[in-house]
Amino acid sequence: GAVVSQHPSWVICKSGTSVKIECRSLDFQATTMFWYRQFPKQSLMLMATSNEGSKATYEQGVEKDKFLINHASLTLSTLTVTSAHPEDSSFYICSARVLVNTEAFFGQGTRLTVV
Amino acid sequence: AQSVTQLDSQVPVFEEAPVELRCNYSSSVSVYLFWYVQYPNQGLQLLLKYLSGSTLVKGINGFEAEFNKSQTSFHLRKPSVHISDTAEYFCAVRPSSGNTPLVFGKGTRLSVIA
């Protein structure tokens, strides 16, 4: 089946620094990638949708300048949390979709802890 | 817009007993429906999906779900659970046309007791 690899699995960073999370589709070309955030014991909240070669579409309430999303190729999307603060600590999950009418495949998630 | 309601936040069940995790959705257009499982500190794994055709859908790990359009439900069932089924289960929906993201329910924590 389709594999989506997310890296790193976990990261601890100091407050004020930036962290980059990578999401790769290993055996298919992803026309669309989605970034989600999940708080403990809660559901996934969509942060943004990115299409290869286009600017990401952010959900209401998500700061574009804080959560930078780049989808430069059909196999790679990155999420950069800029000037991270403790409240940004969360579990971030990406998913990738090949065609419009198929399900999305999920990465294993990244646990971000800002200290 | 679509919404998903998972009626039970937690479901404890004894090993080898049957289980049903309930999911209701709301949508003004036709939808695709999904069930995902999440183990601690991991991403989501697709259990099964309904796109069209037979309303009874069989998935991995012995799970199945039935799409009921009149009741706007997509309940997940397993006739006999194992300890390894302990996890968080998410129901999700998206319109059957257009390149839109999934909308998730709040999840149901299934705890299988030995």
Side-chain angles (χ1 to χ4, degrees), chain A residues 32-52:
Chain A
T32 305
M33 287 189 172
F34 305 96
W35 286 95
Y36 294 86
R37 183 173 180 176
Q38 186 181 30
F39 291 101
K41 301 185 186 301
Q42 293 189 30
S43 189
L44 284 74
M45 300 300 296
L46 180 69
M47 297 175 67
T49 301
S50 72
N51 292 294
E52 185 267 338

mmCIF file of all heavy atoms in Angstrom, chain A residues 32-52:
data_model
loop_
_atom_site.group_PDB
_atom_site.id
_atom_site.type_symbol
_atom_site.label_atom_id
_atom_site.label_comp_id
_atom_site.label_asym_id
_atom_site.label_seq_id
_atom_site.Cartn_x
_atom_site.Cartn_y
_atom_site.Cartn_z
ATOM 1 N N THR A 32 -2.004 16.277 -3.379
ATOM 2 C CA THR A 32 -2.500 17.076 -2.266
ATOM 3 C C THR A 32 -1.997 16.507 -0.953
ATOM 4 O O THR A 32 -1.993 15.295 -0.768
ATOM 5 C CB THR A 32 -4.042 17.102 -2.237
ATOM 6 O OG1 THR A 32 -4.532 17.554 -3.496
ATOM 7 C CG2 THR A 32 -4.547 18.013 -1.136
ATOM 8 N N MET A 33 -1.570 17.390 -0.070
ATOM 9 C CA MET A 33 -1.183 16.971 1.279
ATOM 10 C C MET A 33 -1.928 17.822 2.291
ATOM 11 O O MET A 33 -2.217 18.992 2.039
ATOM 12 C CB MET A 33 0.326 17.095 1.477
ATOM 13 C CG MET A 33 1.122 16.028 0.723
ATOM 14 S SD MET A 33 2.864 16.041 1.170
ATOM 15 C CE MET A 33 3.443 14.576 0.322
ATOM 16 N N PHE A 34 -2.260 17.198 3.405
ATOM 17 C CA PHE A 34 -2.984 17.873 4.468
ATOM 18 C C PHE A 34 -2.154 17.823 5.748
ATOM 19 O O PHE A 34 -1.509 16.817 6.038
ATOM 20 C CB PHE A 34 -4.331 17.186 4.730
ATOM 21 C CG PHE A 34 -5.206 17.062 3.507
ATOM 22 C CD1 PHE A 34 -5.202 15.898 2.760
ATOM 23 C CD2 PHE A 34 -6.017 18.107 3.117
ATOM 24 C CE1 PHE A 34 -6.000 15.778 1.636
ATOM 25 C CE2 PHE A 34 -6.833 17.993 2.000
ATOM 26 C CZ PHE A 34 -6.821 16.829 1.259
ATOM 27 N N TRP A 35 -2.218 18.888 6.517
ATOM 28 C CA TRP A 35 -1.547 18.926 7.813
ATOM 29 C C TRP A 35 -2.591 19.071 8.915
ATOM 30 O O TRP A 35 -3.464 19.946 8.842
ATOM 31 C CB TRP A 35 -0.548 20.071 7.886
ATOM 32 C CG TRP A 35 0.689 19.808 7.088
ATOM 33 C CD1 TRP A 35 0.945 20.203 5.806
ATOM 34 C CD2 TRP A 35 1.844 19.083 7.519
ATOM 35 N NE1 TRP A 35 2.182 19.754 5.409
ATOM 36 C CE2 TRP A 35 2.763 19.066 6.439
ATOM 37 C CE3 TRP A 35 2.200 18.432 8.715
ATOM 38 C CZ2 TRP A 35 4.003 18.437 6.526
ATOM 39 C CZ3 TRP A 35 3.435 17.813 8.789
ATOM 40 C CH2 TRP A 35 4.322 17.815 7.710
ATOM 41 N N TYR A 36 -2.476 18.188 9.905
ATOM 42 C CA TYR A 36 -3.401 18.189 11.020
ATOM 43 C C TYR A 36 -2.631 18.390 12.320
ATOM 44 O O TYR A 36 -1.451 18.058 12.437
ATOM 45 C CB TYR A 36 -4.148 16.853 11.117
ATOM 46 C CG TYR A 36 -5.090 16.553 9.979
ATOM 47 C CD1 TYR A 36 -4.629 15.942 8.817
ATOM 48 C CD2 TYR A 36 -6.439 16.847 10.082
ATOM 49 C CE1 TYR A 36 -5.494 15.642 7.774
ATOM 50 C CE2 TYR A 36 -7.312 16.549 9.039
ATOM 51 C CZ TYR A 36 -6.829 15.950 7.897
ATOM 52 O OH TYR A 36 -7.684 15.653 6.868
ATOM 53 N N ARG A 37 -3.373 18.872 13.313
ATOM 54 C CA ARG A 37 -2.822 19.008 14.656
ATOM 55 C C ARG A 37 -3.760 18.255 15.593
ATOM 56 O O ARG A 37 -4.989 18.330 15.442
ATOM 57 C CB ARG A 37 -2.750 20.482 15.042
ATOM 58 C CG ARG A 37 -2.143 20.759 16.382
ATOM 59 C CD ARG A 37 -1.977 22.250 16.588
ATOM 60 N NE ARG A 37 -1.384 22.528 17.887
ATOM 61 C CZ ARG A 37 -1.054 23.743 18.320
ATOM 62 N NH1 ARG A 37 -1.264 24.794 17.551
ATOM 63 N NH2 ARG A 37 -0.528 23.906 19.509
ATOM 64 N N GLN A 38 -3.182 17.544 16.531
ATOM 65 C CA GLN A 38 -3.988 16.756 17.453
ATOM 66 C C GLN A 38 -3.535 17.018 18.880
ATOM 67 O O GLN A 38 -2.385 16.766 19.232
ATOM 68 C CB GLN A 38 -3.880 15.265 17.130
ATOM 69 C CG GLN A 38 -4.802 14.390 17.963
ATOM 70 C CD GLN A 38 -4.660 12.917 17.625
ATOM 71 O OE1 GLN A 38 -3.597 12.462 17.232
ATOM 72 N NE2 GLN A 38 -5.739 12.164 17.776
ATOM 73 N N PHE A 39 -4.455 17.521 19.701
ATOM 74 C CA PHE A 39 -4.176 17.709 21.118
ATOM 75 C C PHE A 39 -4.488 16.408 21.852
ATOM 76 O O PHE A 39 -5.255 15.579 21.358
ATOM 77 C CB PHE A 39 -4.994 18.868 21.670
ATOM 78 C CG PHE A 39 -4.559 20.203 21.136
ATOM 79 C CD1 PHE A 39 -5.263 20.836 20.126
ATOM 80 C CD2 PHE A 39 -3.416 20.820 21.628
ATOM 81 C CE1 PHE A 39 -4.854 22.057 19.621
ATOM 82 C CE2 PHE A 39 -2.997 22.047 21.121
ATOM 83 C CZ PHE A 39 -3.714 22.666 20.122
ATOM 84 N N PRO A 40 -3.906 16.236 23.047
ATOM 85 C CA PRO A 40 -4.108 14.975 23.782
ATOM 86 C C PRO A 40 -5.578 14.619 23.942
ATOM 87 O O PRO A 40 -6.393 15.448 24.304
ATOM 88 C CB PRO A 40 -3.448 15.260 25.133
ATOM 89 C CG PRO A 40 -2.416 16.281 24.829
ATOM 90 C CD PRO A 40 -2.994 17.139 23.749
ATOM 91 N N LYS A 41 -5.872 13.387 23.629
ATOM 92 C CA LYS A 41 -7.219 12.833 23.774
ATOM 93 C C LYS A 41 -8.268 13.597 22.970
ATOM 94 O O LYS A 41 -9.442 13.620 23.333
ATOM 95 C CB LYS A 41 -7.623 12.786 25.249
ATOM 96 C CG LYS A 41 -6.692 11.941 26.098
ATOM 97 C CD LYS A 41 -7.195 11.815 27.511
ATOM 98 C CE LYS A 41 -6.196 11.082 28.402
ATOM 99 N NZ LYS A 41 -5.883 9.733 27.919
ATOM 100 N N GLN A 42 -7.840 14.210 21.881
ATOM 101 C CA GLN A 42 -8.788 14.923 21.032
ATOM 102 C C GLN A 42 -8.653 14.470 19.588
ATOM 103 O O GLN A 42 -7.767 13.698 19.237
ATOM 104 C CB GLN A 42 -8.571 16.432 21.129
ATOM 105 C CG GLN A 42 -8.899 17.007 22.492
ATOM 106 C CD GLN A 42 -8.883 18.525 22.483
ATOM 107 O OE1 GLN A 42 -9.162 19.150 21.476
ATOM 108 N NE2 GLN A 42 -8.562 19.106 23.620
ATOM 109 N N SER A 43 -9.546 14.969 18.769
ATOM 110 C CA SER A 43 -9.550 14.569 17.373
ATOM 111 C C SER A 43 -8.517 15.372 16.577
ATOM 112 O O SER A 43 -7.824 16.226 17.114
ATOM 113 C CB SER A 43 -10.938 14.782 16.788
ATOM 114 O OG SER A 43 -11.007 14.212 15.493
ATOM 115 N N LEU A 44 -8.443 15.077 15.296
ATOM 116 C CA LEU A 44 -7.524 15.787 14.411
ATOM 117 C C LEU A 44 -8.181 17.063 13.913
ATOM 118 O O LEU A 44 -9.314 17.046 13.429
ATOM 119 C CB LEU A 44 -7.149 14.925 13.216
ATOM 120 C CG LEU A 44 -6.143 13.812 13.456
ATOM 121 C CD1 LEU A 44 -6.748 12.648 14.217
ATOM 122 C CD2 LEU A 44 -5.575 13.317 12.128
ATOM 123 N N MET A 45 -7.442 18.161 14.008
ATOM 124 C CA MET A 45 -7.936 19.426 13.505
ATOM 125 C C MET A 45 -7.126 19.809 12.285
ATOM 126 O O MET A 45 -5.904 19.907 12.347
ATOM 127 C CB MET A 45 -7.812 20.506 14.580
ATOM 128 C CG MET A 45 -8.582 20.192 15.848
ATOM 129 S SD MET A 45 -10.350 19.999 15.558
ATOM 130 C CE MET A 45 -10.771 21.643 15.028
ATOM 131 N N LEU A 46 -7.803 20.020 11.171
ATOM 132 C CA LEU A 46 -7.110 20.383 9.949
ATOM 133 C C LEU A 46 -6.485 21.759 10.091
ATOM 134 O O LEU A 46 -7.150 22.711 10.500
ATOM 135 C CB LEU A 46 -8.092 20.369 8.770
ATOM 136 C CG LEU A 46 -7.500 20.728 7.410
ATOM 137 C CD1 LEU A 46 -6.550 19.633 6.947
ATOM 138 C CD2 LEU A 46 -8.607 20.938 6.388
ATOM 139 N N MET A 47 -5.202 21.846 9.734
ATOM 140 C CA MET A 47 -4.513 23.130 9.769
ATOM 141 C C MET A 47 -4.496 23.764 8.378
ATOM 142 O O MET A 47 -4.776 24.942 8.221
ATOM 143 C CB MET A 47 -3.067 22.952 10.234
ATOM 144 C CG MET A 47 -2.932 22.414 11.644
ATOM 145 S SD MET A 47 -1.220 22.102 12.059
ATOM 146 C CE MET A 47 -0.552 23.761 12.078
ATOM 147 N N ALA A 48 -4.129 22.949 7.385
ATOM 148 C CA ALA A 48 -3.982 23.503 6.042
ATOM 149 C C ALA A 48 -3.975 22.401 5.000
ATOM 150 O O ALA A 48 -3.690 21.244 5.300
ATOM 151 C CB ALA A 48 -2.694 24.320 5.932
ATOM 152 N N THR A 49 -4.295 22.810 3.787
ATOM 153 C CA THR A 49 -4.270 21.931 2.624
ATOM 154 C C THR A 49 -3.251 22.488 1.644
ATOM 155 O O THR A 49 -3.268 23.689 1.351
ATOM 156 C CB THR A 49 -5.647 21.886 1.942
ATOM 157 O OG1 THR A 49 -6.612 21.431 2.886
ATOM 158 C CG2 THR A 49 -5.631 20.969 0.731
ATOM 159 N N SER A 50 -2.378 21.634 1.148
ATOM 160 C CA SER A 50 -1.409 22.131 0.171
ATOM 161 C C SER A 50 -1.434 21.283 -1.086
ATOM 162 O O SER A 50 -1.507 20.061 -1.025
ATOM 163 C CB SER A 50 0.003 22.146 0.767
ATOM 164 O OG SER A 50 0.519 20.844 0.920
ATOM 165 N N ASN A 51 -1.404 21.949 -2.200
ATOM 166 C CA ASN A 51 -1.309 21.303 -3.502
ATOM 167 C C ASN A 51 0.062 21.619 -4.083
ATOM 168 O O ASN A 51 0.545 22.745 -3.972
ATOM 169 C CB ASN A 51 -2.405 21.788 -4.439
ATOM 170 C CG ASN A 51 -3.774 21.335 -3.981
ATOM 171 O OD1 ASN A 51 -4.083 20.148 -3.969
ATOM 172 N ND2 ASN A 51 -4.602 22.285 -3.586
ATOM 173 N N GLU A 52 0.666 20.639 -4.703
ATOM 174 C CA GLU A 52 2.014 20.786 -5.225
ATOM 175 C C GLU A 52 2.118 22.004 -6.124
ATOM 176 O O GLU A 52 1.310 22.170 -7.049
ATOM 177 C CB GLU A 52 2.423 19.512 -5.972
ATOM 178 C CG GLU A 52 3.859 19.504 -6.451
ATOM 179 C CD GLU A 52 4.001 20.008 -7.878
ATOM 180 O OE1 GLU A 52 3.001 19.963 -8.612
ATOM 181 O OE2 GLU A 52 5.107 20.424 -8.236
#
